[in-house]
Amino acid sequence: MVKSRPVSLTLFNHKGGVGKTTLTVNLAFSLASRGRKVLLVDSDPQCNLTSYLVEAEVVDKYLDESEGANGRTIWSVVRPLMASGGGLNYVDPIERGEGVYLLAGDIRLSEFEVALQQSWIDCLQRKIRGFTETSAISVLAHRCAAKVGADYILFDVGPNIGPLNRAILLGSDYFIVPAACDFFSTRALKTLGHTVANWIKDWDIVSRLAPSDVPLLLGRPRYLGYVLQRFRMYGGQLTSGHQSYARELEKRSFSDIVAVLREIDPLLARGTSSHFNLGQIKDFATAASLAQDQGKPIFSVDGAVPYMKEEAKKAFEKLADKVEARVKELAS
């Protein structure tokens, strides 16, 4: 039986400090605990995802060797493409747990991001190299996913609206917005929604200009929803201040992302306002720090208070349930 194409998800917010990488790791391991296989792609030049899951000395080794024959990072794959216009290299993803695999990041992806500015212009001029470079990471991710039989590809991206994130998002089936309980997270949704909408409209023009037989991004990322994070609780409920931010995030999600995308195509953001609330992940504080130190999900960390681990397990199980339900619903 031929395995169906994996679902690709980008966890995207151009505002930093929202707990995006921790969310990505814990969602991946929660999906894996359900028998799914997940490929994690660290497409952030800061390499936070790789640093979370790989020991520091090994990360240094990967970065030192990324240009050699034994290179194992994303840069190892795209560098020949940039240097000579040749084909993509291939690297095996690194197994980080049962059903969880990592495509390691590289600080030199920042150089690839600079090159992608010209790649976009080349696409507009119908140059094949522009399409090859723009689609490179998406092509690599799907090759790696096929290698390990992944059901999901999760992209962890940097907090910006640059050309690298544009290429990643336009190559994804869906995107999720991690958001914190603060004023800046609610305000950021307006810029995020309009940016994604403009990327989709621009790529529609680019793809119609494309010559035949060039690799093309999907160009239609659908909004799966947002995840509320980093809030405090009192008596089993969000504090009053954080409740107001939660209400504002739901409102802004609909007005600044859903409504904007629906102007392009209603299928880009299907559902009612409540459908887009994928879940709530409270601030797990010390347990989250231990998890990062140990390279584990919060619910498997050593040394944390047992009830905190159990709360984390339930929270991320609920998130995985909602993500899978939304993907199934939107695919129908």
Side-chain angles (χ1 to χ4, degrees):
M1 180 177 177
V2 178
K3 193 177 184 71
S4 61
R5 181 179 178 277
V7 174
S8 54
L9 288 161
T10 297
L11 286 89
F12 174 59
N13 193 333
H14 61 301
K15 181 193 178 295
V18 297
K20 178 172 51 59
T21 300
T22 300
L23 177 66
T24 304
V25 169
N26 283 272
L27 174 58
F29 277 90
S30 190
L31 287 168
S33 71
R34 303 157 66 91
R36 314 297 185 245
K37 289 187 177 181
V38 184
L39 174 68
L40 291 165
V41 182
D42 189 354
S43 47
D44 180 359
Q46 296 181 78
C47 304
N48 290 333
L49 180 60
T50 303
S51 298
Y52 188 122
L53 291 173
V54 180
E55 298 82 358
E57 60 273 15
V58 179
V59 174
D60 290 340
K61 183 173 183 289
Y62 287 166
L63 297 179
D64 290 341
E65 296 179 353
S66 64
E67 293 199 0
N70 298 320
R72 302 196 66 180
T73 73
I74 293 181
W75 175 253
S76 307
V77 177
V78 301
R79 185 186 64 83
L81 182 65
M82 285 182 56
S84 61
L88 292 173
N89 278 344
Y90 176 80
V91 294
D92 286 321
I94 306 154
E95 189 168 5
R96 292 288 82 193
E98 186 174 354
V100 178
Y101 302 85
L102 170 69
L103 184 52
D106 198 306
I107 58 175
R108 295 194 67 180
L109 272 180
S110 58
E111 297 177 37
F112 184 58
E113 177 154 34
V114 172
L116 284 175
Q117 297 178 20
Q118 181 60 46
S119 303
W120 190 264
I121 296 171
D122 288 344
C123 287
L124 289 168
Q125 296 175 349
R126 306 185 75 244
K127 294 180 180 179
I128 293 175
R129 179 167 177 165
F131 291 96
T132 302
E133 292 171 347
T134 300
S135 64
I137 292 181
S138 180
V139 169
L140 168 65
H142 280 278
R143 285 182 185 173
C144 289
K147 176 84 173 184
V148 300
D151 301 288
Y152 290 92
I153 303 171
L154 301 185
F155 289 96
D156 187 35
V157 298
N160 61 71
I161 51 176
L164 179 57
N165 283 355
R166 175 175 59 191
I168 299 297
L169 201 75
L170 288 173
S172 300
D173 296 306
Y174 305 97
F175 70 99
I176 294 172
V177 177
C181 266
D182 59 49
F183 172 78
F184 298 105
S185 280
T186 57
R187 290 292 298 271
L189 295 190
K190 188 174 187 66
T191 307
L192 188 152
H194 283 281
T195 296
V196 174
N198 287 334
W199 286 348
I200 293 171
K201 288 186 287 188
D202 289 346
W203 185 252
D204 184 56
I205 296 170
V206 168
S207 60
R208 284 190 278 112
L209 292 172
S212 58
D213 300 325
V214 297
L216 289 174
L217 299 172
L218 297 172
R220 311 292 288 181
R222 286 172 284 179
Y223 179 44
L224 207 64
Y226 68 92
V227 180
L228 180 64
Q229 296 201 106
R230 298 205 164 180
F231 54 83
R232 293 187 296 275
M233 301 187 73
Y234 182 77
Q237 301 291 327
L238 273 71
T239 61
S240 58
H242 285 170
Q243 285 178 8
S244 65
Y245 282 124
R247 289 191 294 269
E248 184 68 11
L249 276 169
E250 181 171 332
K251 175 183 173 183
R252 294 276 187 141
S253 165
F254 202 81
S255 64
D256 295 341
I257 302 179
V258 175
V260 172
L261 292 178
R262 284 181 178 175
E263 290 180 5
I264 303 171
D265 182 350
L267 294 179
L268 293 174
R270 283 172 52 195
T272 63
S273 180
S274 60
H275 280 103
F276 297 99
N277 184 348
L278 297 179
Q280 299 180 347
I281 307 295
K282 76 172 192 178
D283 187 355
F284 285 102
T286 304
S289 297
L290 286 171
Q292 292 173 15
D293 290 341
Q294 297 174 23
K296 297 179 178 180
I298 297 171
F299 47 83
S300 298
V301 74
D302 298 321
V305 179
Y307 86 84
M308 190 72 74
K309 292 168 61 175
E310 185 60 26
E311 282 190 1
K313 186 174 185 290
K314 290 179 180 178
F316 286 106
E317 281 179 348
K318 283 185 179 180
L319 175 60
D321 280 341
K322 190 67 178 285
V323 167
E324 292 215 292
R326 284 286 285 157
V327 166
K328 183 178 180 180
E329 173 191 6
L330 296 178
S332 62

